[in-house]
């Protein structure tokens, strides 16, 4: 039974007085064997941190009032201004992870606004999340906003009878990437292995909301 979690390839040489033979073989990991690896933590090459920027404009909220009375609504941008984190780890797919092992809490690159800073730049500012092999979507802290304020704010609007309003939302994001090594431990023998990874963090640092008139038949 192959319990290593790896595909095993090899060959056997049979030697006779009159000839030699080679037999190649492959052994797949046993589906019934125990999962072997747990994630212990990660470390960054902090000099590898790079960044870029992106802008997104959309109309996520539209109100049509076809009644004879005015109506009031609010829009909260927090759920649209989330931070996305992606860990891309080479070689992870060939390892069997223990599904019962808790993923570690790890630091990610982040942006924090400082009034004395002359530019928008990401760094390692102590923000931590729980590691995941899936895309992580999490709230963005208000200390990332360059103009102060909060992401969790209601923007009210009153829509007159037989009219419409739509809200234009503009989000500015910083995109940070960093390289590092992920440390895993073999649950059978406590030996560690290291895998390279790249983390990508897409974090808003500014947004604006503006209600505009719209035709009711659009």
């Amino acid at each position: 039974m192959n319990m290593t979690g790896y595909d095993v390839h090899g060959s056997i040489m049979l030697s006779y007085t009159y000839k030699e033979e080679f037999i190649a073989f492959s052994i797949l990991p046993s589906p019934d064997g125990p999962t072997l690896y747990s994630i212990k933590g990660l470390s960054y090459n902090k000099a590898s941190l790079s960044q870029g920027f992106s802008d997104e404009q959309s109309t996520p909220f539209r109100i049509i009032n076809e009644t004879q009375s005015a109506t009031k609504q609010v829009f909260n941008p927090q759920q649209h201004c989330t931070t996305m984190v992606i860990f891309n780890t080479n070689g992870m797919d060939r390892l069997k992870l223990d599904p019962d092992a808790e993923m570690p809490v790890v630091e990610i690159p982040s942006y924090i606004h400082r009034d004395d800073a002359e530019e928008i730049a990401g760094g390692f500012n102590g923000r931590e999340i729980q590691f995941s092999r899936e895309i992580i979507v999490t709230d963005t802290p208000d200390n990332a906003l360059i103009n102060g304020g909060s992401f969790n704010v209601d923007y009210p609007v009153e829509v007159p009878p037989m009219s419409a309003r739509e809200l234009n939302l503009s989000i500015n994001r910083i995109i940070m990437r960093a390289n590092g090594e992920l440390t895993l431990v073999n649950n059978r023998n406590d030996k560690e292995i290291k895998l390279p990874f790249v983390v990508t963090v897409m974090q808003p640092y500014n947004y604006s909301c503006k209600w505009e008139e719209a035709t009711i038949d659009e």
Side-chain angles (χ1 to χ4, degrees):
M1 179 182 293
N2 175 14
M3 295 166 52
T4 66
Y6 295 91
D7 294 345
V8 177
H9 305 282
S11 63
I12 299 174
M13 184 184 73
L14 301 177
S15 179
Y16 307 93
T17 57
Y18 54 94
K19 69 173 182 178
E20 291 182 345
E21 290 183 339
F22 289 88
I23 302 174
F25 65 88
S26 297
I27 303 176
L28 299 178
S30 170
D32 300 322
T35 53
L36 294 179
Y37 290 94
S38 299
I39 297 177
K40 184 176 181 180
L42 58 79
S43 60
Y44 287 103
N45 173 7
K46 295 189 176 182
S48 69
L49 180 64
S50 62
Q51 64 186 30
F53 298 90
S54 70
D55 298 329
E56 172 189 343
Q57 291 184 332
S58 61
T59 305
F61 205 62
R62 181 180 175 86
I63 303 171
I64 298 176
N65 182 12
E66 296 180 314
T67 71
Q68 298 302 319
S69 302
T71 184
K72 295 181 179 181
Q73 293 279 358
V74 295
F75 172 80
N76 190 300
Q78 186 176 47
Q79 62 178 330
H80 298 271
C81 295
T82 54
T83 294
M84 288 196 301
V85 184
I86 303 172
F87 290 97
N88 185 358
T89 307
N90 295 329
M92 181 72 82
D93 292 340
R94 60 186 172 88
L95 297 177
K96 298 177 70 176
L97 295 181
D98 185 348
D100 297 324
E102 186 175 359
M103 293 294 188
V105 175
V106 297
E107 187 177 13
I108 58 170
S110 62
Y111 169 70
I112 294 177
H113 175 66
R114 297 181 175 89
D115 290 334
D116 58 347
E118 296 182 355
E119 62 179 358
I120 298 170
F124 292 93
N125 299 301
R127 186 177 184 193
E128 296 181 330
I129 62 170
Q130 190 169 32
F131 182 91
S132 176
R133 298 178 68 180
E134 308 296 329
I135 296 176
I136 302 168
V137 180
T138 182
D139 290 341
T140 305
D142 288 338
N143 60 11
L145 280 169
I146 60 174
N147 293 320
S150 173
F151 291 103
N152 187 20
V153 175
D154 289 336
Y155 289 85
V157 64
E158 180 174 305
V159 184
M162 303 303 295
S163 65
R165 295 291 185 273
E166 64 183 22
L167 185 137
N168 289 327
L169 173 65
S170 177
I171 304 173
N172 309 110
R173 288 186 172 90
I174 179 173
I175 303 173
M176 298 162 283
R177 292 185 176 89
N179 302 327
E181 282 188 332
L182 188 70
T183 301
L184 297 96
V185 60
N186 188 312
N187 293 343
R188 294 179 62 201
N189 55 28
D190 292 330
K191 289 185 177 180
E192 295 182 356
I193 63 172
K194 295 185 181 294
L195 296 176
F197 77 91
V198 179
V199 64
T200 301
V201 180
M202 292 165 278
Q203 176 187 312
Y205 63 88
N206 191 30
Y207 76 94
S208 64
C209 295
K210 182 179 180 181
W211 287 106
E212 296 181 347
E213 294 185 7
T215 58
I216 196 169
D217 57 350
E218 286 185 2

